[in-house]
Amino acid sequence: MNYYREVKVSTGGSFEVSDITDTIRAVVGESGVLEGMAVITSLHTTCALSVNENEARLFEDISDFFLTIAPPDGSYKHNDLHLRVNIPHDEPENAHAHLVAMMLGNSEIVTVHHRALVLGRYQSILLLEMDGPRERTLAVQVLGE
Amino acid sequence: MNYYREVKVSTGGSFEVSDITDTIRAVVGESGVLEGMAVITSLHTTCALSVNENEARLFEDISDFFLTIAPPDGSYKHNDLHLRVNIPHDEPENAHAHLVAMMLGNSEIVTVHHRALVLGRYQSILLLEMDGPRERTLAVQVLGE
Amino acid sequence: MNYYREVKVSTGGSFEVSDITDTIRAVVGESGVLEGMAVITSLHTTCALSVNENEARLFEDISDFFLTIAPPDGSYKHNDLHLRVNIPHDEPENAHAHLVAMMLGNSEIVTVHHRALVLGRYQSILLLEMDGPRERTLAVQVLGE
């Protein structure tokens, strides 16, 4: 049994963490899958998915931490737009966002058991925007029985 | 075909890497799945899963490396417990553990082929505790035929 | 429905990013799966998989970034080969490669919808070699209907 749906999420800041658990839970409910898994993938290269705690002050730490490791105004070859070919006229300087996205990963897999997402008490599914604000598309696939 | 089981793992240190391959292999054996995949997820926000080498000195490097990138005594907003609401009386100061857990990820997926986990010669499934010692719960799901 | 195949990829540099999307797409085509997912796992501990943009200057940034975070000539206990037992005579000093591999992860999952990989416009499946050149083996499993 297989259920596929794309969902759109609007992000509000240049770096923003948002909780998308309810959105994914709704898709799993629609799917009718009792036992299996939900695979959530971002179709972008400058945002990421992670499972962690929805706590406002932690969200600020996440932003501070990753923007210190990969500062937006650092020196990156990808940001030398005049040296690249075939780029859109509105191409942003976002190399740091690619690097953070790679560290965090663009997909998450959550087990479905008894028709529900299996998440611990403090776990939420988080979308991490690193190059917003934008509308992002997530592919959600629920596979199982 | 779908088999779900939760397993408990006791961790021994504040930062500890342990090899859980045998535990996961046993669950795959119980499942009866011949071809498919095992999805292992931690139900916590301050430990992580990774597939890498079980080598004692590398385990020390892993601890040194991640605790240098995200020092436990760094300045984190999540650790200002007096500014947060509805927190347990025994809430630890563990922002660094959340950040390392996000970098490493809280799930792993291992292919099952010919009734066995597909792992390379030097690969083990590792549980990384960043805020122990604790008893941790892992959800293991084996999906396939 | 389940299709399993291993593919070999030769890497050319000590740190090298290469685009393996076409290889994985071919395996998905062979599999006959219409709806499901492809799981790609590296069977090694010093290379990684990621989904991000195939852009030559970004590939240089990726190399610069991760080799700065985990410098090959840093001080690592895993590299004190004389203190380890039962190691091959040609064991390399590659602790940094293990650490970077853990940050990036050794597996990727890509949704299959309408018989095709679901990837965004700028997304490619990337193999990141951190201890090459070598021949690497990837396990590709396509599961679905």
Side-chain angles (χ1 to χ4, degrees):
Chain A
M1 190 165 161
N2 195 287
Y3 183 79
Y4 177 85
R5 204 185 115 192
E6 295 181 5
V7 297
K8 305 279 186 186
V9 180
S10 291
T11 61
S14 62
F15 192 114
E16 186 194 60
V17 187
S18 56
D19 187 334
I20 59 167
T21 311
D22 289 344
T23 302
I24 306 306
R25 187 172 282 130
V27 178
V28 169
E30 290 166 18
S31 75
V33 167
L34 292 173
E35 301 288 324
M37 65 180 74
V39 180
I40 310 110
T41 54
S42 141
L43 302 187
H44 310 276
T45 54
T46 55
C47 65
L49 292 162
S50 186
V51 172
N52 213 278
E53 184 176 355
N54 178 350
E55 197 278 304
R57 297 179 66 86
L58 180 63
F59 285 4
E60 294 183 63
D61 290 329
I62 293 167
S63 172
D64 292 346
F65 178 74
F66 285 106
L67 293 179
T68 300
I69 287 187
D73 59 356
S75 174
Y76 304 104
K77 294 192 173 70
H78 184 64
N79 288 353
D80 294 332
L81 304 181
H82 62 289
L83 297 177
R84 289 166 51 195
V85 290
N86 294 327
I87 61 172
H89 72 280
D90 58 350
E91 176 74 6
E93 297 187 6
N94 60 6
H96 72 288
H98 288 278
L99 297 169
V100 176
M102 291 178 73
M103 276 191 283
L104 289 166
N106 82 309
S107 66
E108 282 297 334
I109 187 161
V110 183
T111 296
V112 175
H113 182 51
H114 292 335
R115 198 171 238 143
L117 291 170
V118 178
L119 289 171
R121 177 176 170 193
Y122 294 108
Q123 286 185 312
S124 289
I125 305 170
L126 306 177
L127 173 66
L128 296 106
E129 171 64 76
M130 270 84 76
D131 190 30
R134 297 205 195 193
E135 186 183 66
R136 300 298 198 171
T137 303
L138 308 180
V140 187
Q141 191 192 42
V142 195
L143 195 70
E145 291 164 8
Chain B
M1 189 164 162
N2 194 286
Y3 182 80
Y4 178 84
R5 204 184 116 192
E6 295 181 4
V7 296
K8 305 279 187 186
V9 180
S10 292
T11 61
S14 61
F15 193 113
E16 187 194 59
V17 187
S18 55
D19 186 334
I20 59 166
T21 311
D22 289 344
T23 302
I24 306 307
R25 188 172 281 131
V27 177
V28 170
E30 290 166 18
S31 75
V33 168
L34 292 173
E35 300 289 323
M37 64 181 74
V39 180
I40 309 111
T41 54
S42 141
L43 301 187
H44 310 276
T45 54
T46 54
C47 66
L49 292 162
S50 186
V51 172
N52 212 280
E53 184 176 356
N54 179 350
E55 197 277 304
R57 297 179 66 85
L58 179 63
F59 285 4
E60 294 183 63
D61 290 329
I62 293 167
S63 172
D64 292 346
F65 178 75
F66 286 105
L67 294 179
T68 299
I69 287 187
D73 60 356
S75 175
Y76 304 103
K77 294 192 174 69
H78 183 65
N79 288 353
D80 294 332
L81 303 181
H82 62 290
L83 297 177
R84 289 167 53 194
V85 291
N86 294 326
I87 61 170
H89 72 281
D90 58 348
E91 175 74 7
E93 296 187 7
N94 60 6
H96 72 287
H98 288 278
L99 297 168
V100 176
M102 291 178 73
M103 276 190 285
L104 289 166
N106 81 309
S107 66
E108 281 298 333
I109 187 160
V110 183
T111 297
V112 175
H113 183 51
H114 293 335
R115 197 171 239 144
L117 291 170
V118 178
L119 289 171
R121 177 177 169 192
Y122 294 107
Q123 285 184 313
S124 289
I125 306 171
L126 306 178
L127 173 65
L128 296 106
E129 172 65 75
M130 270 83 76
D131 190 31
R134 297 206 195 192
E135 186 184 66
R136 299 299 198 170
T137 304
L138 308 179
V140 187
Q141 192 191 41
V142 194
L143 196 69
E145 291 163 10
Chain C
M1 190 164 160
N2 194 287
Y3 183 80
Y4 177 86
R5 205 185 115 191
E6 295 180 6
V7 296
K8 306 279 186 186
V9 180
S10 292
T11 61
S14 61
F15 192 114
E16 186 194 62
V17 187
S18 55
D19 186 334
I20 59 166
T21 311
D22 288 345
T23 302
I24 305 306
R25 187 172 281 130
V27 177
V28 170
E30 290 166 18
S31 75
V33 168
L34 292 173
E35 299 288 324
M37 64 182 73
V39 180
I40 310 109
T41 54
S42 141
L43 302 187
H44 309 276
T45 54
T46 55
C47 66
L49 292 162
S50 186
V51 171
N52 212 280
E53 185 175 355
N54 179 349
E55 197 277 304
R57 296 178 67 84
L58 179 62
F59 285 4
E60 294 182 64
D61 290 330
I62 293 168
S63 173
D64 292 346
F65 178 74
F66 286 105
L67 293 179
T68 299
I69 287 187
D73 60 355
S75 174
Y76 304 103
K77 294 191 174 70
H78 184 64
N79 288 353
D80 295 332
L81 305 182
H82 62 289
L83 297 177
R84 288 167 54 194
V85 290
N86 294 327
I87 60 171
H89 72 279
D90 58 349
E91 176 74 7
E93 296 187 6
N94 60 6
H96 73 288
H98 288 277
L99 297 169
V100 176
M102 292 178 73
M103 277 191 285
L104 290 166
N106 81 308
S107 66
E108 282 297 334
I109 187 159
V110 183
T111 297
V112 175
H113 182 52
H114 292 334
R115 197 170 240 144
L117 290 171
V118 178
L119 289 170
R121 178 176 169 194
Y122 294 107
Q123 286 184 313
S124 289
I125 306 171
L126 306 178
L127 174 66
L128 296 106
E129 172 64 75
M130 271 83 76
D131 189 31
R134 297 205 194 192
E135 186 183 66
R136 299 299 198 170
T137 303
L138 308 179
V140 187
Q141 191 191 41
V142 195
L143 195 70
E145 290 164 9

